Amino acid sequence: MKINVYDSPLTTCRSLIEYIIERLSNHPDKVFNIAFSGGDTPLLMFDLWANEFADATPWERIRFFWVDERCVRPESIESNYGQMKRVLLDVVNIPGENIFRIRGEENPVYEAARYSDVVMRELPVIDGCPVFDIVLLGVGTDGHTSSIFPGQEHLLSSSHVYEASVHPSSGQKRVAMTGFPIFKARQVIFLVTGKNKAQVVDELFLRGDVTPATYIARRAQKVELFLDKAAAGERE
Ligand code: 6PG
């Protein structure tokens, strides 16, 4: 697990974008299948990407998938796709055929099955599992990642690619990437910023499989953390 710590959320997000662009430039003939998480943390990254790196990014070589989605309409402020659409997808020149959204407006069980089929069709498959080049994860203050919440650990060992899940406090229905494709991904990147994440970041290093995020961080291949100092606590 490689740890990168930066001064602020801004420099953390900027460094992550630069890292992804470097990966693209190191593989000029490759199209990258990247699954993005939602929530607040990556919004700064998407906004920065649109405003500072639009011309530096070969958008035609990135195919956009989602790690998870809230079961709301795409226009909702809650929608992970809708949020990225507002700040990035509608701002830069990304080919429409490169965008594979989870349809949050559909029945979650059916949509989890549909989207699993889409990902199986669009990605290379190894040992029955679709292989993403990068899965970009966040971590909730309760240690959830994707929309795999504490108490829903069965999603970590599911043989399905996506499954329906539920936010334990709000009851909001979700479609979530399971542990199956996360563990098989060529690279898993955690983007975690803010003092309120210091505890869950600490758990990534010190404790056992206390949360879905720690379970994944300890088992996924090639895990890299992009943290700001506030989330990294005293760990430099
Ligand atoms: C979601 C995300 C989720 C997110 C964490 C952290 O749909 O909410 O995919 O897994 O990464 O909840 O969210 P914040 O960045 O808002 O803290």
Side-chain angles (χ1 to χ4, degrees), residues 37-42 68 70 80 138-140 144-147 174 197:
S37 285
D40 298 330
T41 304
D68 59 350
R70 292 86 178 276
N80 291 335
V139 183
H144 81 262
T145 192
S146 175
S147 282
R174 303 279 184 97
K197 301 290 177 71

Side-chain angles (χ1 to χ4, degrees), residues 41-61:
T41 304
L43 269 185
L44 176 60
M45 173 187 174
F46 302 151
D47 190 57
L48 206 57
W49 210 343
N51 287 292
E52 289 190 16
F53 298 91
D55 297 337
T57 306
W59 299 108
E60 74 287 351
R61 290 203 291 115

Side-chain angles (χ1 to χ4, degrees), residues 200-211:
V200 286
V201 168
D202 211 39
E203 286 167 358
L204 288 177
F205 302 99
L206 293 181
R207 311 237 325 258
D209 295 336
V210 285
T211 64

